[in-house]
PDB file of all heavy atoms in Angstrom:
ATOM      1  N   LEU A 116      43.140  11.655  -6.330  1.00 98.00           N
ATOM      2  CA  LEU A 116      41.712  11.985  -6.223  1.00 98.00           C
ATOM      3  C   LEU A 116      40.982  11.737  -7.538  1.00 98.00           C
ATOM      4  O   LEU A 116      39.756  11.580  -7.557  1.00 98.00           O
ATOM      5  CB  LEU A 116      41.529  13.451  -5.807  1.00 98.00           C
ATOM      6  CG  LEU A 116      42.046  13.811  -4.411  1.00 98.00           C
ATOM      7  CD1 LEU A 116      41.837  15.290  -4.147  1.00 98.00           C
ATOM      8  CD2 LEU A 116      41.320  12.984  -3.346  1.00 98.00           C
ATOM      9  N   GLY A 117      41.716  11.726  -8.647  1.00 98.00           N
ATOM     10  CA  GLY A 117      41.080  11.534  -9.953  1.00 98.00           C
ATOM     11  C   GLY A 117      41.106  10.099 -10.419  1.00 98.00           C
ATOM     12  O   GLY A 117      40.840   9.813 -11.585  1.00 98.00           O
ATOM     13  N   LEU A 118      41.439   9.172  -9.489  1.00 98.00           N
ATOM     14  CA  LEU A 118      41.541   7.775  -9.895  1.00 98.00           C
ATOM     15  C   LEU A 118      40.170   7.119 -10.023  1.00 98.00           C
ATOM     16  O   LEU A 118      39.372   7.127  -9.091  1.00 98.00           O
ATOM     17  CB  LEU A 118      42.402   7.009  -8.874  1.00 98.00           C
ATOM     18  CG  LEU A 118      42.710   5.561  -9.205  1.00 98.00           C
ATOM     19  CD1 LEU A 118      44.135   5.233  -8.815  1.00 98.00           C
ATOM     20  CD2 LEU A 118      41.767   4.609  -8.492  1.00 98.00           C
ATOM     21  N   THR A 119      39.899   6.599 -11.210  1.00 97.00           N
ATOM     22  CA  THR A 119      38.709   5.767 -11.433  1.00 97.00           C
ATOM     23  C   THR A 119      39.222   4.488 -12.093  1.00 97.00           C
ATOM     24  O   THR A 119      40.404   4.392 -12.420  1.00 97.00           O
ATOM     25  CB  THR A 119      37.703   6.446 -12.388  1.00 97.00           C
ATOM     26  OG1 THR A 119      38.319   6.585 -13.674  1.00 97.00           O
ATOM     27  CG2 THR A 119      37.273   7.816 -11.890  1.00 97.00           C
ATOM     28  N   ASP A 120      38.332   3.529 -12.318  1.00 96.00           N
ATOM     29  CA  ASP A 120      38.759   2.302 -13.000  1.00 96.00           C
ATOM     30  C   ASP A 120      39.446   2.650 -14.319  1.00 96.00           C
ATOM     31  O   ASP A 120      40.481   2.095 -14.676  1.00 96.00           O
ATOM     32  CB  ASP A 120      37.548   1.409 -13.323  1.00 96.00           C
ATOM     33  CG  ASP A 120      36.788   1.007 -12.073  1.00 96.00           C
ATOM     34  OD1 ASP A 120      37.393   1.006 -10.986  1.00 96.00           O
ATOM     35  OD2 ASP A 120      35.591   0.681 -12.197  1.00 96.00           O
ATOM     36  N   GLU A 121      38.840   3.597 -15.026  1.00 95.00           N
ATOM     37  CA  GLU A 121      39.297   3.901 -16.379  1.00 95.00           C
ATOM     38  C   GLU A 121      40.564   4.750 -16.392  1.00 95.00           C
ATOM     39  O   GLU A 121      41.491   4.461 -17.145  1.00 95.00           O
ATOM     40  CB  GLU A 121      38.182   4.618 -17.153  1.00 95.00           C
ATOM     41  CG  GLU A 121      36.946   3.759 -17.392  1.00 95.00           C
ATOM     42  CD  GLU A 121      36.067   3.580 -16.148  1.00 95.00           C
ATOM     43  OE1 GLU A 121      36.206   4.363 -15.179  1.00 95.00           O
ATOM     44  OE2 GLU A 121      35.234   2.654 -16.139  1.00 95.00           O
ATOM     45  N   THR A 122      40.606   5.811 -15.543  1.00 97.00           N
ATOM     46  CA  THR A 122      41.824   6.630 -15.541  1.00 97.00           C
ATOM     47  C   THR A 122      43.002   5.801 -15.023  1.00 97.00           C
ATOM     48  O   THR A 122      44.131   5.957 -15.494  1.00 97.00           O
ATOM     49  CB  THR A 122      41.676   7.908 -14.678  1.00 97.00           C
ATOM     50  OG1 THR A 122      41.336   7.555 -13.339  1.00 97.00           O
ATOM     51  CG2 THR A 122      40.599   8.833 -15.236  1.00 97.00           C
ATOM     52  N   PHE A 123      42.732   4.898 -14.082  1.00 97.00           N
ATOM     53  CA  PHE A 123      43.792   4.022 -13.579  1.00 97.00           C
ATOM     54  C   PHE A 123      44.306   3.097 -14.681  1.00 97.00           C
ATOM     55  O   PHE A 123      45.517   2.983 -14.897  1.00 97.00           O
ATOM     56  CB  PHE A 123      43.274   3.193 -12.402  1.00 97.00           C
ATOM     57  CG  PHE A 123      44.188   2.059 -12.013  1.00 97.00           C
ATOM     58  CD1 PHE A 123      45.457   2.319 -11.511  1.00 97.00           C
ATOM     59  CD2 PHE A 123      43.784   0.741 -12.165  1.00 97.00           C
ATOM     60  CE1 PHE A 123      46.310   1.281 -11.162  1.00 97.00           C
ATOM     61  CE2 PHE A 123      44.632  -0.302 -11.814  1.00 97.00           C
ATOM     62  CZ  PHE A 123      45.898  -0.036 -11.314  1.00 97.00           C
ATOM     63  N   ALA A 124      43.382   2.445 -15.392  1.00 96.00           N
ATOM     64  CA  ALA A 124      43.796   1.479 -16.417  1.00 96.00           C
ATOM     65  C   ALA A 124      44.594   2.173 -17.519  1.00 96.00           C
ATOM     66  O   ALA A 124      45.659   1.687 -17.924  1.00 96.00           O
ATOM     67  CB  ALA A 124      42.568   0.773 -16.999  1.00 96.00           C
TER      68      ALA A 124
END
Side-chain angles (χ1 to χ4, degrees):
Chain A
L116 295 178
L118 185 141
T119 64
D120 301 336
E121 295 75 17
T122 58
F123 167 65

